[in-house]
Amino acid sequence: MIVSALATSVGINLGLTVLLAAVYSLLRRRPPYVDVYSPRRPYAPLEPWLAAAWRRTEEDIHAAAGLDGVVFVRIFVFSIRVFAAAAVLGVGVLMPVNFLGDQLRQIDFSDLPNKSVDLFSVSNVQDGSNKLWLHFSAAYIITGVACYLLYYEYKYISGKRLEYFMTSKPLPQHFTVLVRAIPVTDGGSVSDAVDKFFKEYHSSTYLSHTVVHQTGKLRRLLNDAENICTKLANIKSVRHPSGDPPGKFLGIFGRNDLVGKYQKRLEDLEENVRMEQSDATRSRQEVAAAFVSFRSRYGAANAIYIRQSDNPTEWQTEHAPDPHDVYWPFFSTSFMERWISKFVVFVASILLILVFLLVAAFVQGLTYMEQLETWLPFLKNILEIAVVSQLITGYLPSVILHFLSSYVPSIMKLFSTMQGFISVSGIERSACNKMLRFTIWSVFFANVLTGSVLGQLKIFLDPKEIPSRLAVVVPAQASFFITYVVTSWTSIASELTQTASLLYHLWGSCAKCCKRDDSKPPSMHYHSEIPRVLLFGLLGLTYFIVSPLILPFVLVYFCLGYFIYRNQVRTLQFIY
């Protein structure tokens, strides 16, 4: 990639970022959009959002988003500190040394826009040059700085966590354990089995238990009733300017018919719920799972961390989730069903990564004009236009990768849901781990390998040349990752405008019956955001020595994220 193509990508994304910030600053003060940007506050904010985000204290963040929100913002604080130090070393020392090298070409400042970005990488330094000691020294320095800051942050967050546990009141779930795969003898019940088992083995700490019942049909009825109530509230909230209800279209269709239809369905559902509740009470459809309560936290911890049976597939214990965190559908699944589902999800995740390798190979092909002209010879004349070539090589690949990657978090969450977790937070943590593995392998390693090793297969014919060849071709991928980071400016700026919520709000203004429930603030899911933040930390530290030109762009990303998410904790509902 040449310098002018990189400048084109920077200019486009910088312009889009400023535009999104301006749109947010304008719309957030207008009353029609207060429900989108300030659902927790009934008035439009008057102070500038940037200044308000800067003045917001950690106590404010804790009150709005909890301890997890504080830790999430502290990730940006840590990253800014590390990459500020890295940028000083990289841009101030390493990048001039790289540019003044003559491994790739003789210095020619007259035509800098058409020079390759690789001139700023370590591949431009002569082999065996004494200047490489500067790179080795910088690697040790930044490693020491990162380790010290990690120790400081770990100590700080540990203190916050300890303070949270010391000041929080004991809750019922702290004394409760979820027991699954409860064996039942013929003619016995789950309740009797639980009571007998824990009175025998935990007699001094056991208090009581509650057996889980099969109420899937009841939950579906309640969900349907809740959805209909929401639709009724949205329809009734619409009023004609004259005060009369809106009329029908062509005398046939209208909201009057919808209100009567939904009210009739709600009455039917209410009767069905009563019948299902009575049936569940009489039939006692027990599931082989129960919440067991103890007299002390120590008793509950004992039951969790000590195996309860010689057979590991029976009497499985785990922490009881918070009441609002329970995910009910998989309480009745057996050990083998959960094991099989985990295996199937593992295979599906591997296949998804392999499919994305093909996408990464195609995206990497767009960064090389020669390869693109080989693939699409009929576009050769168009690709020779300077603006077109700069857009394709400098902007389009990272946009395609960002667009396709945006659908992966929902797929990973679906995979995690299929694994049999009994808490929403467990599903989120599992999805976060899957996204982290996917991001590292499919976004980082896939692009490095498809852009370097797979395009240079001949280096394997002479194994002795592999290190020297990789030292040249791997830094060549720095240009792609720089544009990927720059494109992320626009992605993270879209968190301000809440584009999806804004479009849904505008659609609701046109189609009143589809108006969303504005009382619930939009949510920010950790399983999609944390892997993305960690990816940019990986890119910055990996290419700190190889291509320090990436450091200013990574630092700008973390600064944007710091201010944007400090502002968003006032409105977003953090899922943790």
Side-chain angles (χ1 to χ4, degrees):
M1 180 186 297
I2 61 177
V3 175
S4 59
L6 176 60
T8 300
S9 178
V10 173
I12 293 174
N13 287 283
L14 183 61
L16 291 175
T17 302
V18 173
L19 177 63
L20 290 173
V23 168
Y24 171 72
S25 300
L26 178 63
L27 296 183
R28 66 191 286 267
R29 297 177 182 271
R30 300 180 62 106
Y33 304 101
V34 173
D35 291 337
V36 177
Y37 298 115
S38 299
R40 293 177 175 175
R41 295 161 58 174
Y43 57 88
L46 299 177
E47 57 183 346
W49 71 270
L50 197 60
W54 174 258
R55 289 194 299 268
R56 189 160 289 115
T57 63
E58 199 165 86
E59 288 72 19
D60 297 334
I61 298 175
H62 187 278
L67 185 59
D68 286 351
V70 173
V71 174
F72 183 72
V73 175
R74 293 294 298 189
I75 294 176
F76 287 96
V77 174
F78 166 78
S79 302
I80 290 173
R81 290 172 176 172
V82 170
F83 287 104
V88 172
L89 285 174
V91 178
V93 178
L94 301 182
M95 198 163 71
V97 172
N98 295 340
F99 185 74
L100 295 176
D102 55 359
Q103 176 78 3
L104 299 181
R105 59 93 182 92
Q106 297 295 325
I107 299 176
D108 182 12
F109 294 96
S110 60
D111 194 23
L112 183 60
N114 292 322
K115 299 297 182 182
S116 173
V117 177
D118 298 337
L119 298 179
F120 298 96
S121 68
V122 72
S123 58
N124 194 38
V125 180
Q126 282 286 352
D127 298 340
S129 173
N130 290 331
K131 296 178 181 178
L132 291 175
W133 283 107
L134 292 172
H135 297 75
F136 298 148
S137 301
Y140 282 108
I141 291 173
I142 200 61
T143 300
V145 170
C147 290
Y148 170 77
L149 291 175
L150 274 175
Y151 170 78
Y152 174 80
E153 288 296 327
Y154 179 82
K155 184 178 179 181
Y156 181 82
I157 296 302
S158 297
K160 285 286 185 183
R161 190 168 182 264
L162 182 60
E163 179 185 355
Y164 170 77
F165 281 112
M166 294 297 291
T167 57
S168 61
K169 296 180 180 180
L171 298 174
Q173 58 266 26
H174 297 161
F175 301 85
T176 306
V177 171
L178 174 64
V179 184
R180 306 170 76 180
I182 300 172
V184 180
T185 59
D186 294 338
S189 66
V190 175
S191 181
D192 294 337
V194 172
D195 192 63
K196 179 180 178 181
F197 180 88
F198 284 95
K199 280 184 178 180
E200 180 177 356
Y201 294 104
H202 300 270
S203 57
S204 61
T205 56
Y206 170 67
L207 180 62
S208 63
H209 71 276
T210 302
V211 178
V212 179
H213 291 80
Q214 186 71 39
T215 57
K217 184 177 180 181
L218 180 61
R219 286 197 304 273
R220 288 191 294 270
L221 292 174
L222 291 175
N223 290 335
D224 292 342
E226 184 178 357
N227 292 333
I228 292 177
C229 287
T230 301
K231 292 178 180 179
L232 274 174
N234 290 335
I235 293 175
K236 292 180 179 179
S237 65
V238 180
R239 292 292 183 267
H240 196 268
S242 62
D244 298 328
K248 299 181 180 180
F249 178 70
L250 298 178
I252 302 175
F253 303 104
R255 295 189 180 91
N256 292 336
D257 292 338
L258 287 176
V259 171
K261 176 183 175 182
Y262 286 144
Q263 287 178 341
K264 181 62 170 62
R265 288 181 59 186
L266 192 60
E267 292 174 359
D268 295 339
L269 282 173
E270 185 178 359
E271 181 63 27
N272 292 335
V273 166
R274 290 198 190 98
M275 294 176 60
E276 186 62 28
Q277 285 177 331
S278 61
D279 291 342
T281 303
R282 289 195 305 269
S283 60
R284 305 290 293 174
Q285 301 172 358
E286 294 181 333
V287 175
F291 291 97
V292 181
S293 299
F294 295 83
R295 301 179 188 275
S296 64
R297 291 188 181 185
Y298 176 77
N302 236 1
I304 292 174
Y305 296 109
I306 296 179
R307 182 185 291 182
Q308 303 298 319
S309 174
D310 293 336
N311 186 352
T313 64
E314 296 178 352
W315 297 104
Q316 297 177 348
T317 57
E318 57 187 291
H319 289 280
D322 295 348
H324 68 276
D325 193 36
V326 178
Y327 187 74
W328 295 103
F330 289 98
F331 271 83
S332 58
T333 55
S334 65
F335 173 82
M336 287 302 300
E337 289 174 340
R338 293 196 298 272
W339 188 88
I340 293 173
S341 63
K342 289 181 180 180
F343 178 76
V344 171
V345 167
F346 174 77
V347 173
S349 301
I350 297 298
L351 292 177
L352 181 62
I353 292 176
L354 293 177
V355 170
F356 214 82
L357 286 175
L358 302 177
V359 176
F362 170 75
V363 169
Q364 279 293 333
L366 296 178
T367 61
Y368 299 97
M369 289 302 299
E370 299 81 4
Q371 188 171 351
L372 191 59
E373 290 176 355
T374 303
W375 289 354
L376 305 172
F378 58 91
L379 296 178
K380 185 175 181 180
N381 294 331
I382 299 177
L383 296 176
E384 290 178 353
I385 302 175
V387 176
V388 175
S389 64
Q390 291 172 7
L391 286 174
I392 292 177
T393 60
Y395 183 68
L396 187 60
S398 57
V399 171
I400 293 176
L401 191 61
H402 269 289
F403 177 75
L404 296 178
S405 299
S406 64
Y407 291 96
V408 177
S410 58
I411 298 176
M412 292 302 182
K413 189 170 183 179
L414 177 62
F415 286 168
S416 297
T417 304
M418 296 165 57
Q419 287 187 268
F421 290 98
I422 48 84
S423 66
V424 177
S425 58
I427 294 174
E428 290 282 339
R429 284 193 297 269
S430 177
C432 185
N433 292 332
K434 291 182 178 62
M435 273 302 303
L436 185 59
R437 290 192 292 267
F438 173 86
T439 301
I440 292 175
W441 285 103
S442 296
V443 178
F444 180 71
F445 283 113
N447 284 283
V448 169
L449 296 177
T450 54
S452 58
V453 177
L454 297 183
Q456 305 284 340
L457 291 177
K458 59 183 180 181
I459 67 176
F460 292 102
L461 300 178
D462 189 0
K464 294 181 179 180
E465 296 295 324
I466 290 178
S468 59
R469 293 297 298 272
L470 289 180
V472 176
V473 296
V474 172
Q477 303 310 306
S479 58
F480 169 77
F481 286 120
I482 291 174
T483 58
Y484 185 80
V485 173
V486 171
T487 307
S488 298
W489 295 356
T490 306
S491 177
I492 200 169
S494 64
E495 290 289 337
L496 277 176
T497 55
Q498 291 291 310
T499 307
S501 298
L502 179 61
L503 293 176
Y504 201 71
H505 178 82
L506 294 175
W507 170 253
S509 300
C510 299
K512 299 294 185 179
C513 62
C514 299
K515 185 180 178 181
R516 71 183 183 93
D517 185 7
D518 294 324
S519 62
K520 296 182 180 180
S523 59
M524 195 284 294
H525 297 280
Y526 288 126
H527 75 278
S528 61
E529 298 303 321
I530 289 181
R532 182 170 63 172
V533 174
L534 295 180
L535 170 65
F536 294 122
L538 174 64
L539 293 178
L541 292 177
T542 301
Y543 281 93
F544 164 68
I545 299 298
V546 175
S547 183
L549 182 61
I550 197 175
L551 296 174
F553 303 106
V554 173
L555 185 59
V556 170
Y557 171 83
F558 285 119
C559 290
L560 283 173
Y562 175 75
F563 283 102
I564 288 174
Y565 284 114
R566 280 177 68 91
N567 173 76
Q568 295 301 84
V569 295
R570 178 178 54 84
T571 58
L572 288 181
Q573 179 185 2
F574 279 63
I575 304 299
Y576 53 91

